[in-house]
Amino acid sequence: MTFYELRQYKMLPGELEARGKVMEEEIVPFQVSKGMVVTGSCRGGADQSIYAWLRRFESEEQRVEQYKAV
């Protein structure tokens, strides 16, 4: 059964830009290279201290294996 994992990180004031850049340029590409399916990411919205991203897994077993790979 396919499911999604939403991860949200609350940044300290002034850190969202730099940490968001690291997520988008290093962490997300690395995880994708290991088989993760990242379906989206975003910064802020109403709360400009939040960075959020969404990953998709086909099963709990797949999630466990991909976590090991990362």
Side-chain angles (χ1 to χ4, degrees), residues 20 22-34 36 38-41 51 53:
V22 169
M23 287 293 296
E24 292 165 5
E25 293 179 2
E26 297 177 31
I27 295 172
V28 170
F30 171 75
Q31 291 202 2
V32 168
S33 78
K34 298 297 183 184
M36 293 274 185
V38 177
T39 60
S41 65
Y51 179 87
W53 58 318

Side-chain angles (χ1 to χ4, degrees), residues 39-69:
T39 60
S41 65
C42 64
R43 300 178 194 185
D47 184 345
Q48 286 297 306
S49 67
I50 298 292
Y51 179 87
W53 58 318
L54 193 64
R55 296 188 289 195
R56 185 184 77 224
F57 300 96
E58 297 304 319
S59 66
E60 177 62 18
E61 293 79 21
Q62 180 197 42
R63 186 193 68 79
V64 168
E65 289 303 312
Q66 288 183 335
Y67 267 51
K68 287 179 187 176

